[in-house]
Amino acid sequence: MGRWRYERGLEDIGNGCFAYLQPAGTWGLSNAGLVTSDGEALLVDTLFDLKRTREMLDAMRAATPAAARIGTVVNTHANGDHCYGNALVEGATIIATRAGAAEMDEVPAPMLAMLMRQARSGAAGALGEYLVHCFGAFDFDGIAPTPPTRVFDGELTVAVGGKEVRLIEVGPSHTKGDLLVHIPADRVIYTGDVLFIDVTPIMWAGPVGNWLKACDILLAADADVIVPGHGSITDRAGVRAVRDYLVYIRDEARRRYDAGMPPVDAARDIALNDYASWGDAERIVVNVHTLYREFSGGQLALPGPIELFGLMAELARRPR
């Protein structure tokens, strides 16, 4: 959307709502949001490390007095780039879906800190180089796991001053517990990683049908401003682009699954066409494996995260 800048920092999107943006939206460079009303504030997601989260909170406090004390944090899902900074919002109620909260235990920050030390040592070879490419800009040391203090299933409405904020569970899709944050009065939605704009989506969980339903919810919503988890502020056109990508990859993967092609070969074989310019195109490896698992009714196991990152590292080095 030409209406909004896509520069690092805080963007005032009107009526007491803000977006914190981190171009170019690649690995770990996530967006966050702030909703304010009558001196109260709700934060949509924290960032991947403490330094970046502090910088974001400082920018928010400089922009509006309401951010001096944030009463509520909403984690849109369990990936660390949306929740590792939780400890810096002292005293806040931290809300997530029940499934999202449970998933936060799977990759705590100390585990990622240890993995990155190994990657930087050079012992992990090409995989280590790729991990440094993805996560080398972040410092995971000293991050205390700070889980949600309130969980929900389905939908939850909370008040921020005089504003109603609707939390809508749409996972499992990108992860096991994704949610949307809708502020009806302001016609604003924060999507978490249901949306990646000009960056390749990654389907850790699926099923793809749930993700498509989440896109349909966004398309049907009365919203003018849509803040994605990664990439620039968008509108319904951005939602349609993500939806079209998911349909295209699903259909192309299905044809290759039915033909008996292994998932790694299918990921290499699928032409990206209009999506080739999107960042992190190698994520198609994860998407195809997740789709194959779905097509098989769960009979095909999804490789572990380290193996998947290794496959992405390999594909990233290969010309397409």
Side-chain angles (χ1 to χ4, degrees):
M1 289 177 68
R3 177 181 172 190
W4 307 108
R5 297 176 307 131
Y6 188 38
E7 299 174 4
R8 185 171 183 233
L10 196 65
E11 182 79 357
D12 186 342
I13 54 179
N15 301 318
C17 291
F18 301 82
Y20 191 84
L21 307 175
Q22 295 194 97
T26 186
W27 293 101
L29 293 178
S30 56
N31 299 329
L34 182 72
V35 181
T36 67
S37 174
D38 300 329
E40 297 185 5
L42 176 149
L43 179 65
V44 181
D45 285 332
T46 56
L47 303 182
F48 213 3
D49 65 17
L50 301 182
K51 178 179 182 293
R52 288 174 182 268
T53 301
R54 285 193 188 98
E55 291 173 350
M56 176 182 73
L57 293 173
D58 287 346
M60 290 176 172
R61 290 166 184 147
T64 173
R69 186 186 181 282
I70 294 171
T72 305
V73 175
V74 176
N75 292 142
T76 59
H77 61 290
N79 288 168
D81 54 339
H82 297 262
C83 64
Y84 276 1
N86 283 359
L88 295 183
V89 193
E90 295 182 9
T93 298
I94 303 173
I95 303 175
T97 65
R98 189 179 310 276
E103 193 175 13
M104 287 180 192
D105 293 334
E106 295 183 8
V107 187
M111 178 188 298
L112 197 48
M114 179 181 66
L115 182 64
M116 291 307 298
R117 283 193 290 273
Q118 294 172 348
R120 290 189 176 96
S121 74
L127 170 60
E129 291 176 7
Y130 183 69
L131 290 173
V132 171
H133 160 75
C134 293
F135 305 125
F138 308 99
D139 180 4
F140 303 115
D141 289 322
I143 298 176
T146 307
T149 57
R150 183 180 183 185
V151 299
F152 74 98
D153 300 296
E155 294 194 21
L156 176 68
T157 299
V158 298
V160 179
K163 286 183 183 177
E164 175 185 279
V165 178
R166 294 181 62 217
L167 310 181
I168 306 164
E169 183 175 18
V170 293
S173 51
H174 164 64
T175 63
K176 296 175 184 176
D178 305 283
L179 65 85
L180 307 173
V181 181
H182 184 201
I183 304 90
D186 297 333
R187 303 169 66 88
V188 171
I189 298 181
Y190 301 90
T191 73
D193 285 2
V194 170
L195 285 190
F196 294 73
I197 300 302
D198 293 327
V199 181
T200 304
I202 187 164
M203 193 186 316
W204 294 115
V208 67
N210 277 2
W211 203 331
L212 295 175
K213 288 177 185 176
C215 290
D216 291 339
I217 290 171
L218 291 170
L219 290 170
D222 187 17
D224 297 323
V225 181
I226 300 175
V227 180
H230 295 259
S232 58
I233 297 171
T234 191
D235 55 17
R236 288 177 180 82
V239 179
R240 284 191 289 271
V242 172
R243 193 185 194 286
D244 289 348
Y245 171 88
L246 294 170
V247 169
Y248 175 74
I249 297 300
R250 177 199 65 188
D251 293 349
E252 292 295 313
R254 183 76 213 201
R255 279 193 279 275
R256 288 159 177 81
Y257 173 84
D258 290 343
M261 184 180 291
V264 172
D265 294 340
R268 293 169 181 156
D269 190 58
I270 294 172
L272 293 177
N273 300 333
D274 293 342
Y275 309 110
S277 64
W278 288 10
D280 306 318
E282 66 272 13
R283 291 174 176 174
I284 191 174
V285 172
V286 178
N287 297 337
V288 170
H289 274 88
T290 300
L291 287 164
Y292 267 50
R293 180 184 61 184
E294 181 178 340
F295 299 154
S296 73
Q299 294 302 304
L300 287 177
L302 189 67
I306 296 299
E307 183 177 350
L308 288 172
F309 271 97
L311 293 171
M312 284 189 282
E314 180 183 347
L315 188 58
R317 296 197 308 272
R318 294 166 62 101
R320 289 182 63 89

